[in-house]
């Protein structure tokens, strides 16, 4: 409650500021379907207006917000729109944008239960729901982190703890110098963020054993080396180019029997398990020891939002928990920070809760199925137009060649300029390709037909 006229005025202007932000955001979102997906060269050139010295004096907050909207909004990529098919990027569901605003207003530093009971408590529910939706073990510990990169890091830190503890070594206390060596096995098509996580953890980006893959990027089960001693095996659910899955049922049981820790990088592919139509693709991953996935990709919550699950909760806590006199411990439920690399952290669980509470199991399944159907339509439409689809379209990823590498790059660049939709490029097993990734709740049939027509028009032009 305000105590004097000056404070009342401040409060009124804070309210106005938030209302202004909301109407600017609404206008931005409403414009997205009409505008070119990529920002114009002119909008990017105007970013130079930001290059000014630090203001000496206080500025009017409403004008600061207006400047942000004027300069940045036009220079954004329309990732929140219905026809952005670059990388593997969803658009935030409306309820999650709203929940995110509310959680920002709460401004809860969600590391410790005692100081942030509401936003700490709520994490348990979406973690449980995610395990139910993805059919992961009910007793696995979970952690909301920034994305799959840090989810991989978090899970692999728990793996490092456990395999070394089994060899009589405490890595958290004594570090890696003098520790028994750990064998890390990955597929030739491992995502680079797994290698980054391994580098950060002192396990090395280059000292991994790389298993050859097939023409879809799947680890070859017959080429997995014999496992002995402390070992971490990383399998992939959802190749970032093809959408393909490592053959988990052919590899995991023997690896587990030999004592390896099996980790699944399922940044987007794990979501195949949320729909009966695609669940078989990721069959057997429930037998692993840890899993990394993203909520900001296929669950369509705002950035940034990833999730790690670890079957052995003690291993995760041993890798992550800290104590200090000034930090309250205990409370009726878990301290989120006992399971994450961060102490101070935003309440990421809120947006995941809002998405799952709104969609339910059926809504999630429909969203995943819809994206996969759109991907299949892209592949069919482009094949029918005479272009070569390079991958088996099993999920939401499509790779297309338009002829020579040069020609393919030209088509991609012309399409990005044309503006109807946005697709990126890649090199898949030596072939230059356009990469189409359908990941947004917003994309409908009309968007797909409109985008297909634009791609074909540009490629024939
Ligand atoms: C996207 C992706 C990652 C990295 O996820 P971020 O959320 O960008 O950190 C890791 N692995 C795979 C397979 C991915 O697709």
């Amino acid at each position: 409650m305000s105590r004097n006229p000056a404070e009342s005025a401040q409060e009124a202007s804070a309210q106005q500021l938030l209302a202004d932000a909301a109407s600017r955001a609404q206008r931005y979102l409403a414009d997205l379907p009409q505008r070119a997906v990529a920002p114009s060269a002119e909008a990017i050139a105007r970013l130079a207006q930001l290059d000014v010295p630090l203001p000496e004096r206080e500025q009017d907050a409403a004008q600061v917000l207006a400047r942000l909207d004027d300069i940045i909004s036009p220079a954004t990529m329309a990732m929140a729109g219905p026809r952005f098919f670059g990388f593997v990027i969803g658009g935030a569901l409306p309820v999650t944008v709203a929940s995110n605003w509310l959680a920002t207003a709460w401004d809860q530093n969600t590391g410790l239960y005692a100081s942030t009971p509401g936003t700490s408590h709520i994490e348990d529910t979406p973690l449980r729901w995610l395990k139910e939706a993805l059919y992961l073990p009910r007793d696995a510990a979970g952690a909301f982190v920034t994305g799959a990169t840090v989810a991989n890091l978090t899970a692999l830190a728990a793996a490092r703890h456990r395999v070394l503890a089994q060899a009589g070594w405490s890595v958290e206390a004594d570090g890696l110098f003098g520790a028994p060596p750990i064998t890390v096995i990955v597929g030739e098509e491992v995502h680079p963020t797994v290698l980054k996580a391994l580098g950060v953890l002192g396990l090395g980006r280059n000292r991994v054993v790389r298993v050859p893959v097939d023409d879809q990027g799947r680890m070859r089960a017959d080429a997995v080396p014999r496992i002995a001693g402390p070992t971490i095996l990383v399998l992939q659910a959802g190749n970032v180019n093809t959408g393909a899955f490592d053959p988990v049922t052919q590899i995991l049981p023997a690896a587990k029997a030999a004592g390896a820790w099996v980790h699944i990088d399922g940044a987007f592919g794990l979501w195949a398990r949320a729909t009966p139509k695609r669940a078989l693709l990721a069959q057997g991953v429930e037998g692993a020891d840890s899993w990394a996935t993203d909520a900001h990709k296929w669950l369509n919550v705002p950035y940034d939002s990833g999730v790690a699950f670890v079957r052995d909760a003690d291993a995760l806590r041993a890798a992550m928990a800290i104590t200090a006199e000034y930090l309250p411990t205990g409370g009726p439920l878990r301290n989120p920070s006992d399971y994450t690399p961060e102490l101070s952290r935003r309440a990421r669980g809120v947006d995941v809760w809002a998405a799952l509470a709104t969609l339910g199991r059926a809504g999630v399944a429909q969203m995943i199925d819809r994206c996969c159907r759109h991907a299949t339509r892209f592949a069919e439409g482009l094949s029918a137009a005479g272009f070569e689809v390079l991958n088996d379209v099993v999920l939401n990823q499509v790779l297309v060649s338009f002829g020579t590498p040069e020609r393919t790059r030209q088509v991609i660049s012309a399409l990005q300029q044309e503006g109807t939709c946005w697709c990126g490029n890649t090199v898949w097993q030596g072939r230059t390709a356009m990469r189409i990734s359908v990941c947004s709740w917003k994309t409908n049939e009309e968007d797909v037909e409109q985008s297909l027509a634009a791609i074909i028009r540009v490629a024939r032009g």
Side-chain angles (χ1 to χ4, degrees):
M1 215 177 294
S2 50
R3 284 150 295 188
N4 60 45
E7 283 181 13
S8 294
Q10 238 172 31
E11 229 163 63
S13 85
Q15 277 180 17
Q16 241 167 36
L17 196 63
L18 293 185
D20 186 26
S23 70
R24 286 176 186 278
Q26 280 162 12
R27 202 178 325 136
Y28 175 82
L29 290 174
D31 282 351
L32 280 181
Q34 286 83 253
R35 60 162 269 198
V37 177
S40 67
E42 188 212 346
I44 291 169
R46 284 185 63 230
L47 290 169
Q49 292 177 19
L50 292 169
D51 302 341
V52 297
L54 172 69
E56 290 298 335
R57 272 183 278 281
E58 267 190 53
Q59 308 287 306
D60 177 58
Q63 281 177 22
V64 168
L65 187 73
R67 200 172 339 135
L68 208 52
D69 190 22
D70 292 346
I71 300 176
I72 304 290
S73 291
T76 56
M77 179 71 79
M79 286 179 173
R83 293 186 304 279
F84 181 82
F85 306 116
F87 313 101
V88 186
I89 282 186
L93 291 156
V95 70
T96 65
V97 177
S99 69
N100 193 275
W101 287 351
L102 190 57
T104 298
W106 292 338
D107 202 15
Q108 298 291 286
N109 183 344
T110 309
L112 304 168
Y113 191 95
S115 49
T116 53
T119 52
S120 298
H121 197 119
I122 199 177
E123 289 199 353
D124 273 36
T125 304
L127 285 173
R128 179 164 51 77
W129 285 351
L130 284 169
K131 288 183 277 183
E132 289 176 23
L134 303 175
Y135 298 91
L136 300 178
R138 294 291 167 98
D139 52 353
F144 286 111
V145 294
T146 52
T149 304
V150 176
N152 280 323
L153 176 87
T154 303
L156 291 169
R160 183 183 69 163
H161 169 86
R162 179 54 68 217
V163 298
L164 285 179
Q166 278 163 354
W169 188 269
S170 169
V171 66
E172 285 75 25
D174 301 321
L176 278 177
F177 299 105
I182 301 175
T183 305
V184 180
I185 305 171
V186 302
E188 196 58 68
E189 270 289 323
V190 63
H191 196 273
T193 60
V194 171
L195 300 176
K196 177 173 173 171
L198 291 169
V200 172
L201 289 166
L203 297 174
R205 295 188 186 198
N206 294 344
R207 69 180 280 289
V208 293
V209 178
R210 284 174 173 267
V211 181
V213 296
D214 67 11
D215 63 347
Q216 298 301 311
R218 294 174 292 225
M219 190 184 278
R220 273 179 37 208
D222 62 344
V224 177
R226 179 192 294 278
I227 289 168
T231 302
I232 299 170
L233 168 66
V234 181
L235 299 177
Q236 182 165 257
N239 178 286
V240 85
N241 279 307
T242 63
F245 293 72
D246 285 344
V248 174
T249 52
Q250 294 171 40
I251 297 173
L252 183 141
K256 289 293 296 171
W261 177 293
V262 180
H263 172 68
I264 307 284
D265 177 7
F268 62 98
L270 213 51
W271 290 90
R273 291 171 69 81
T275 160
K277 294 202 178 98
R278 312 272 161 174
L280 274 182
L281 289 168
Q283 199 181 13
V285 308
E286 68 280 358
D289 296 285
S290 57
W291 305 263
T293 195
D294 266 319
H296 59 216
K297 286 180 179 167
W298 228 344
L299 187 59
N300 282 258
V301 306
Y303 287 93
D304 43 23
S305 187
V307 198
F309 290 105
V310 177
R311 185 188 294 275
D312 180 346
D314 292 339
L316 180 56
R317 247 190 332 264
M320 296 298 162
I322 51 166
T323 55
E325 282 306 324
Y326 82 99
L327 297 174
T329 53
L333 282 176
R334 65 202 267 289
N335 277 330
S337 64
D338 286 348
Y339 299 84
T340 58
E342 308 91 353
L343 175 58
S344 294
R345 53 196 287 283
R346 79 178 180 91
R348 291 197 177 79
V350 171
D351 302 336
V352 177
W353 182 88
L356 292 172
T358 307
L359 292 171
R361 199 190 285 280
V364 174
Q366 280 161 18
M367 184 167 70
I368 305 299
D369 283 334
R370 196 166 61 237
C371 292
C372 294
R373 250 196 344 266
H374 292 332
T376 303
R377 171 66 192 133
F378 269 117
E380 285 170 0
L382 290 166
S383 295
F387 304 112
E388 187 186 0
V389 174
L390 303 182
N391 65 317
D392 297 342
V393 179
V394 294
L395 203 66
N396 62 335
Q397 304 293 118
V398 186
L399 301 175
V400 199
S401 163
F402 296 93
T404 63
E406 244 152 59
R407 180 65 196 143
T408 299
R409 277 194 298 268
Q410 272 169 5
V411 171
I412 296 166
S413 145
L415 181 72
Q416 291 175 357
Q417 291 265 318
E418 192 266 353
T420 302
C421 64
W422 199 99
C423 304
N425 62 290
T426 190
V427 177
W428 173 246
Q429 297 189 342
R431 307 275 316 269
T432 298
M434 176 189 278
R435 183 158 161 262
I436 305 172
S437 173
V438 191
C439 223
S440 175
W441 67 277
K442 231 182 214 178
T443 306
N444 64 25
E445 266 87 22
E446 211 173 298
D447 293 310
V448 174
E449 294 311 319
Q450 207 181 324
S451 302
L452 253 179
I455 297 171
I456 293 168
R457 196 166 58 235
V458 166
R460 285 182 178 159

